[in-house]
């Protein structure tokens, strides 16, 4: 079990010795039980840190923001940033390291093991409790959660409220860390791509109907892009915000600016956007499920990324986010890569 | 009688092999359907998935990506990168239920003019019964 006191003690030490600039972790939000990201700068503030099954967010995204912020500063603070990561988040860190987006010495990783469970799916939890207010939720001794409501404690088996991605998780403990809290459990899911099975068993027409319906809903708020730790391109293909229009930009230059995707939220354009996002995340997505969680229209975006993760594994034997020294999926090849689809 | 549907194919051909192959088909006066719009790129490895999607988005009924045979790439290994990338695009297109016959990849060397004409002939006859591609066509 992860000892919260140990976590706080560790964080306090780091801040006292001024080893880190600040620590990114979780704290209790003001609205109900859901945690919010916490940026702890003073040793006395570590008391705010929490760790419970509701800490679902992937905090790695803040490393991207931190790098951008640092690039703008004249005399940046060169100390590393402390970051609290779960197993999945640590793989995201690995991908960023692999792509040389961040340097290892710029981060101090406090790893937390999810041990026997994972994090809960808030929607499933609300459904399960039928509107009852949750006072507290803890990891159970065995495979489950202890949920305290107004009516007392209940033990809920993890299969009922565990997030779908956690059921398919292949790294329950951080794969890269400076300090690890909790133990390294040895367990593997029976099938890491179980959620895809249902979709793959549908016929082609049914799949098309499904995705047509789903992607038609998209309002192009780009929340999926904003929350993704891997979506860090300075200029995204879908919007041209960085296209500098100066006094000497001619009308011709403006007209010739390539517009790959229209901004209108219509099916054909949504399609290109989500497809290209999925392709960009091939071999990089570590399945933290943030895109799906933040989607205001509940589009099952995770499936697209999961499918590519599966293909990367099956066609090319590539595991995402385990080895930062390996070349990334599309920047390497093998002689024996499949080519049966090529004439 | 209504006119027969003529599919429009966008072919991304690499400059060193496939484009030369299509040129050979031309200068050898081999006949093949005029449905194809060739776009010469420097290497099949330079073809972004966005090009393919954009072609469909702008109304192509079929897209062909063609490069040198493995080992013949002018840039040594560009086509091998392409192979990997295109495999992923193909899998994802199929996953969302897009007609997989509309997207093809081939290796055509500079000497294979006849193979090129055959590929185009087969592709056109495959696309004709499918009718126009409307799934991804821009519809604002």
């Amino acid at each position: 079990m992860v000892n919260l006191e140990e976590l706080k003690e560790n964080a306090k030490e780091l801040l006292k010795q001024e080893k880190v600039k600040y620590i990114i972790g979780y704290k209790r939000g003001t609205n109900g039980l859901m945690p919010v990201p916490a940026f702890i700068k003073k040793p006395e503030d570590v008391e705010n840190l929490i760790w419970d099954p509701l800490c679902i967010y992937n905090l790695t995204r803040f490393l991207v923001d931190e790098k951008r912020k640092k690039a703008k500063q004249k005399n940046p603070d060169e100390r590393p940033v402390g970051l609290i990561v779960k197993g999945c988040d640590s793989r995201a860190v690995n991908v960023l390291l692999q792509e040389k987006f961040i340097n290892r010495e710029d981060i101090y990783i406090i790893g937390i093991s999810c041990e026997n469970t994972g994090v809960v799916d808030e929607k499933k939890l609300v459904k399960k409790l039928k509107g009852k207010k949750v006072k507290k939720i803890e990891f159970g001794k065995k495979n489950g959660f202890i949920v305290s409501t107004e009516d007392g404690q209940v033990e809920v088996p993890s299969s009922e409220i565990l997030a779908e991605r956690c059921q398919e998780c292949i790294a329950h403990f951080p794969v890269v860390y400076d300090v690890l809290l909790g133990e390294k459990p040895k367990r593997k899911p029976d099938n890491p791509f179980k959620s895809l099975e249902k979709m793959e068993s549908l016929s082609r027409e049914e799949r098309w109907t499904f995705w047509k319906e789903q992607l038609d809903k998209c309002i192009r708020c780009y929340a999926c892009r904003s929350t993704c730790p891997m979506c860090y391109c300075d200029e995204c293909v879908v919007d041209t915000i960085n296209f500098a229009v100066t006094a000497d930009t001619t009308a011709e230059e403006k007209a010739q600016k390539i517009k790959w995707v229209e901004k209108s939220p219509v099916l054909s354009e949504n399609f290109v956007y989500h497809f290209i996002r999925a392709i960009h995340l091939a071999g990089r997505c570590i399945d933290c499920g943030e895109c799906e969680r933040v989607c205001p229209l509940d589009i099952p975006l995770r499936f697209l990324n999961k499918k590519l993760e599966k293909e990367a594994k099956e066609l090319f034997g590539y595991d995402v986010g385990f080895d930062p020294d390996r070349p990334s999926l599309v920047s390497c090849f093998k002689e024996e890569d499949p080519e049966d689809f090529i004439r | 009688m209504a006119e027969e549907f003529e599919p429009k194919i966008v072919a991304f051909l690499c400059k060193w092999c496939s484009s030369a192959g299509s040129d050979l088909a031309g200068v050898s006066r081999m006949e093949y359907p005029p449905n194809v719009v060739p776009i010469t790129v420097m290497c099949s490895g330079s073809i972004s998935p966005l090009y393919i999607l954009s072609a469909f988005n702008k109304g192509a009924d079929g897209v062909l990506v063609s490069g040198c045979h493995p080992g013949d790439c002018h840039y040594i290994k560009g086509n091998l990168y392409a192979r990997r990338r295109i495999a992923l695009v193909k899998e994802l297109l199929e996953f969302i239920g897009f007609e997989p016959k509309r997207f093809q990849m081939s290796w055509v060397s500079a000497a294979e003019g006849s193979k090129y004409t055959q590929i185009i002939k087969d592709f056109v006859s495959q696309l004709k019964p499918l009718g126009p591609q409307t799934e991804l066509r821009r519809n604002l």
Side-chain angles (χ1 to χ4, degrees), chain A residues 76-116:
Chain A
D77 189 342
E78 292 295 345
R79 282 176 299 165
V81 175
L83 179 73
I84 293 177
V85 295
K86 303 188 289 291
C88 43
D89 310 346
S90 76
R91 286 168 65 209
V93 173
N94 253 347
V95 176
L96 292 178
L97 289 172
Q98 183 184 26
E99 292 167 353
K100 309 222 169 8
F101 184 74
I102 47 172
N103 300 319
R104 184 66 182 85
E105 58 270 21
D106 288 342
I107 34 169
Y108 187 91
I109 307 171
I110 304 167
I112 291 183
S113 169
C114 293
E115 292 183 26
N116 287 318

Side-chain angles (χ1 to χ4, degrees), chain A residues 252-283:
Chain A
E252 201 188 344
E253 276 169 341
K254 281 186 212 166
Q256 279 181 355
K257 173 81 184 155
I258 301 171
K259 211 175 199 179
W260 293 103
V261 192
E262 287 290 337
K263 285 184 176 176
S264 330
V266 295
L267 181 64
S268 64
E269 308 306 301
N270 292 349
F271 205 101
V272 179
Y273 166 60
H274 287 290
F275 197 99
I276 217 68
R277 210 181 93 82
I279 286 284
H280 279 189
L281 291 174

Side-chain angles (χ1 to χ4, degrees), chain A residues 96-318:
Chain A
L96 292 178
L97 289 172
Q98 183 184 26
E99 292 167 353
K100 309 222 169 8
F101 184 74
I102 47 172
N103 300 319
R104 184 66 182 85
E105 58 270 21
D106 288 342
I107 34 169
Y108 187 91
I109 307 171
I110 304 167
I112 291 183
S113 169
C114 293
E115 292 183 26
N116 287 318
T117 40
V119 292
V120 302
D121 185 326
E122 37 181 338
K123 283 169 197 153
K124 280 187 193 168
L125 181 66
V126 170
K127 219 175 174 182
K128 168 84 189 158
L129 296 174
K130 300 190 185 94
K132 263 184 268 174
K133 226 176 179 176
V134 187
K135 279 195 180 143
K136 202 176 170 192
I137 180 162
E138 291 168 298
F139 291 104
K141 281 254 159 52
K142 266 194 178 165
N143 206 356
F145 300 105
I146 301 166
V147 185
S148 320
T149 59
E150 295 141 332
D151 311 344
Q153 275 190 354
V154 267
E155 193 160 340
V156 187
S158 64
S159 56
E160 282 180 37
I161 53 169
L162 194 66
E164 202 170 40
R165 66 184 162 100
C166 291
Q167 288 169 6
E168 301 173 346
C169 179
I170 47 172
H172 299 277
F173 54 87
V175 288
V176 53
Y177 53 83
D178 290 302
V179 49
L180 176 71
L181 304 172
E183 283 140 36
K184 286 186 179 182
K186 268 192 192 150
R187 65 185 182 98
K188 281 256 148 75
D190 314 329
N191 180 2
F193 306 108
K194 199 159 184 276
S195 55
L196 285 175
E197 271 174 7
K198 202 180 150 204
M199 184 83 79
E200 282 173 340
S201 66
L202 297 175
S203 73
R204 192 181 66 73
E205 284 79 15
E206 283 168 325
R207 285 204 300 269
W208 176 253
T209 324
F210 174 82
W211 282 109
K212 200 171 142 182
E213 204 174 279
Q214 294 297 331
L215 294 183
D216 207 15
K217 293 194 292 192
C218 176
I219 53 169
R220 299 281 281 282
C221 63
Y222 302 131
C224 44
R225 188 184 67 179
S226 309
T227 194
C228 181
M230 303 305 158
C231 265
Y232 60 68
C233 294
D234 286 328
E235 183 168 354
C236 182
V237 285
V238 297
D239 54 19
T240 49
I241 41 168
N242 290 342
F243 176 59
V245 179
T246 56
D248 24 277
T249 309
T250 60
E252 201 188 344
E253 276 169 341
K254 281 186 212 166
Q256 279 181 355
K257 173 81 184 155
I258 301 171
K259 211 175 199 179
W260 293 103
V261 192
E262 287 290 337
K263 285 184 176 176
S264 330
V266 295
L267 181 64
S268 64
E269 308 306 301
N270 292 349
F271 205 101
V272 179
Y273 166 60
H274 287 290
F275 197 99
I276 217 68
R277 210 181 93 82
I279 286 284
H280 279 189
L281 291 174
R284 306 171 66 225
C285 174
I286 44 82
D287 196 19
C288 63
E290 285 288 273
C291 45
E292 191 171 307
R293 186 183 64 82
V294 298
C295 183
L297 291 133
D298 290 332
I299 302 172
L301 293 168
R302 216 188 117 234
F303 281 149
L304 291 176
N305 300 327
K306 197 77 191 166
K307 171 70 182 170
L308 285 173
E309 195 185 325
K310 184 182 175 185
E311 293 308 329
K313 175 84 187 154
E314 285 179 358
L315 296 178
F316 312 118
Y318 184 88

Side-chain angles (χ1 to χ4, degrees), chain B residues 5-8 59-62 98-99 102 127-137:
Chain B
F5 164 66
E6 288 294 338
K8 198 179 270 174
D61 298 307
F98 186 71
E99 175 57 70
R102 291 196 189 274
L127 290 175
K128 270 191 180 164
L130 295 175
Q133 183 268 119
T134 51
E135 289 101 326
L136 299 184
R137 190 182 290 250

